[in-house]
Amino acid sequence: MSDLTHFLEQLSTRINISDIIKGDVKLTRKNTNQYIGLCPFHKEKSGSFNVTDGKNLYHCFGCGASGNMFGYLEKKRGLTFIEALHYLADQVGMKVPERDTYTKTPEQKKAADRSYEILENTCIWMQENLQKSIGENARLYLEKRNISLAMQKQFRIGYVPEGYHNLIDLFKSKYTIEELLKVGLVSQGDGHKKPIDRFRGRLMFPIFDRQNKVIAFGGRALGDVSPKYINSSDTPTFSKSHILYGHNFASKELSNEFGFIVVEGYLDVISLHQHGFKTAVAPLGTALTDFHCKLLWRHRVPPLLCFDGDAAGYKAAVRSAKKSLIYASPDHRLNFVFLPKDEDPDSLVQKDRQHFSEMLTKFKPLSDVIWNSLIEDIPIKTPEDQAALRKEVSLLVSQIQNEDTKLSYKEYFQNKLFTYFRSLGQVSFKKNNYKKHDSDSKMMPLMVKKNKDDVFQKILLATLVYHPHLINQVTDEMLHINFNDELSDLSDWLLGYEGDKTKYALLDAAYHEGLKKRILMVISDDVLQKAPFLKQKDAENVLLGWKEVYNQLEYLLKLDEEVRQAGQLLKNDMTEQNWTRIKELQTIKLRSRENNE
């Protein structure tokens, strides 16, 4: 029996498939080993998704999806078999057998063991250097950065002295130059230049794999030397695009409350761990890669990207946002934390841990970061600028692989574009602004021609009568509307309607419920004339029209409330300032209504 086969058997006895699926699906126990719930792979109203512990299998009688724990993690979270293996092992504190034992020949395994030995011995030597007299400046630097001895020990921080052949001379009787070159500890220029140590006069940070083996190093210069940081080059044991610094420690600290915190550098990671934020990790001198994103998404809590509060940090965040957008989905989210100007995670957490903790709760979602970057990059002064912004939005959205997410982003950006252009005074809502065959109608929501509040309410309800399939998409907005007395019963009935989502089926059901009078009220010719988008067949355009009416109604109601509050304030305190304020609000409200007549 191979090491992997034995490990899989042991793993299956320590973890139940229901424990994995419960994070995504609300399961109800059927009997001792069986659960049932709503299928996460298709929409359904009654549970047909069965989960069986013991056998560690799932099966949906609705869509036919079935498999074991590994299949579930692959289908639901996009993990490979190896990624799922490590994820499950982490849940129960098991250590996955070294891949070498089941993927490499004996000769390859021997060579890999030799590389790990060289790297481990080098790490020990660097740690010893830090404690000697030659490491005094490095120790003073760590003291200045308030890195505790416990953290120095945990992360195995070390030091290499100045000199071109310290490491080569140390190991010359034990390892060949070729072996040192292979693991990235020695550099050699073109031609027949003499090999030299890659790291010289630097504070050293070992880089670990999941099994805590040293696989590479990063070095920070202590003086005015460029570059400030250098890393090992890619080797058979190390690929910087596949490794996150600190991941070996952080992955063991994940919970249902805390996901990964992604920062920029070694000391940011170490400082956050020291202050209790033990899920911090960092890419190794490179932008966040596709593999990094997949690694972060193994955990169900979305990661937080928290880069430095300077221009470079902001650019890194935007670059990561745009790069990851292609994978955006309900299971693949990224959130971003933007620190105060000129602060980084290390500096802020040391000044005020509570403030840093609060900043982590004030994150921005991926969509907001991308939108904000777009309107900063493309100044809008001309119609051509508008077209350029639309084009950039369209290109970004087209990359998204998940179709549901792509549709949601398209709608999100369309609403953003509409509101943004309107705020710049570049979108008109005057009468006859709507054109049935306008080529831009799919991008720009269509506004009504008149705007008494009850007319707005009738238009919203009429839209759902003509297009019942939209009801589930606007439920949240409907619940926020305080419909007037003669329309509230129809609104309540529409929200509870579960029949066939066609206009005629809904009308038939409504008439049987005694709502014919209300229906005729909201689909009158007068209402339909004021909302031309209602009769369109394009569901996307109809939804955008509905949401624009909703937004306008919400805006007017807020204005009404502000006018009421200003009136109360004037009543209590008859000052010129309060009188001016109420006149300003009334003027704004009047103009807003006139713009849609």
Side-chain angles (χ1 to χ4, degrees), residues 59 67 96 109 112 116 120 183 185 187 251 261 280 383 386 403 407 409 425 436 452 477 493 575 593:
H59 179 77
V96 178
K109 184 179 182 303
Y116 289 128
E120 174 61 24
V183 295
L185 293 174
S187 300
S251 61
I261 303 171
Q386 284 192 32
E403 290 301 324
L407 181 61
Y409 263 86
K436 186 172 182 180
K452 290 183 179 179
E477 290 91 339
W493 183 83
T575 65
R593 292 184 181 279

Side-chain angles (χ1 to χ4, degrees), residues 52 65 91 93 104 110 123 153 173 227 236 264 295-296 304 331 334 385 442 460 474-475 479 519 573 588:
T52 306
Q91 305 306 302
K104 293 186 176 181
K110 183 177 180 180
C123 183
K153 182 177 180 180
S173 63
E264 287 191 53
L295 195 63
L296 295 169
L304 291 173
D331 299 312
L334 279 182
D385 294 336
K442 291 186 178 181
L460 295 178
V474 298
T475 300
L479 292 172
I519 291 287
D573 188 7
I588 292 172

Side-chain angles (χ1 to χ4, degrees), residues 18 172 339 460:
S18 62
K172 64 183 178 182
L339 299 181
L460 295 178

